[in-house]
Amino acid sequence: MLIASMNQVAFPNILVVMTQPDDKKQETVEKQSIVRISNQANQTIGYNFLAINELLPDLQFNGVQTLTKQEVTVLNEALVAAGFTGDLVADEAPHLVVGYVQESVAHPDSDHMHITQTQIAPDQTVQIVCGAANIAQGQKVIVATVGAVMPEGKVIWPGQLRGVQSDGMICAAREIGVVNAPAKGIMVLPDDWEVGREVTVEAVAALLK
């Protein structure tokens, strides 16, 4: 997993890369304008590239952006040159996709949550805990997969809800940024939308017109 972001106003010329969730106790090591951030188990959770213009001079954006394989290769070469491990893996797959709820059962420790088995690609099914009242087996839904960054900045990591593993988020239209979408309930998509297809705000907004 690789999430890259920049804030040209507050932190010009710095690329922030996340590979794992934050840890309460972190350690940092800086070498050659690259800061490695690790957790208590000494696992890399991210890097700050403090002079990104020297590595990728054409990289200019604000917010979160998908890096190409070629750009990630350049970053890995810089990591190795600085004495770190070049362990970044490009992630060019879409993170808002059409999912199909194959199964939905009541959560054993909640009066409103459901545990779903949701297909997100022809060969991939994940378990997602959903708290929406209108979730049901057989629906096509919007899934924010692990690695997605929501409009308000929340990152979707693997986790647990009330003790049950959940690897993704089944979304309401408003949660992906559709203006004037209903405030409650997940968005149920048309049956002819293909599982794994990328979901865009524009396409969902058109359904609601």
Side-chain angles (χ1 to χ4, degrees), residues 21 28 34 47 49 67 82 103 123 136 150 155 161 166 175 180 199:
T28 61
I34 301 174
Y47 295 98
F49 293 85
L67 299 180
E103 178 183 284
D123 59 351
M150 306 307 287
V155 179
L161 290 173
S166 184
E175 289 173 319
N180 297 324
V199 174

Side-chain angles (χ1 to χ4, degrees), residues 62-115:
N62 275 309
V64 176
Q65 180 165 303
T66 300
L67 299 180
T68 66
K69 291 182 180 179
Q70 182 177 0
E71 290 167 337
V72 173
T73 296
V74 172
L75 297 182
N76 277 329
E77 291 173 349
L79 288 170
V80 172
F84 295 117
T85 302
D87 53 2
L88 298 179
V89 178
D91 183 3
E92 297 181 294
H95 285 289
L96 279 181
V97 300
V98 176
Y100 175 70
V101 182
Q102 297 176 326
E103 178 183 284
S104 177
V105 298
H107 192 300
D109 190 32
S110 171
D111 61 359
H112 69 284
M113 291 183 179
H114 287 78
I115 304 168

Side-chain angles (χ1 to χ4, degrees), residues 97-103 116-128 138-143 145 170 193-197:
V97 300
V98 176
Y100 175 70
V101 182
Q102 297 176 326
E103 178 183 284
T116 75
Q117 302 301 320
T118 300
Q119 185 183 18
I120 59 173
D123 59 351
Q124 186 178 11
T125 297
V126 295
Q127 179 168 282
I128 301 176
Q139 293 172 332
K140 293 284 183 72
V141 294
I142 304 169
V143 176
T145 63
I170 298 176
W193 281 36
E194 182 181 357
V195 170
R197 160 186 169 179

Side-chain angles (χ1 to χ4, degrees), residues 2 7 11 13 17 29 50 70 114 171 173 185 203:
L2 189 157
N7 185 330
F11 306 105
N13 204 28
V17 171
V29 176
L50 306 181
Q70 182 177 0
H114 287 78
C171 302

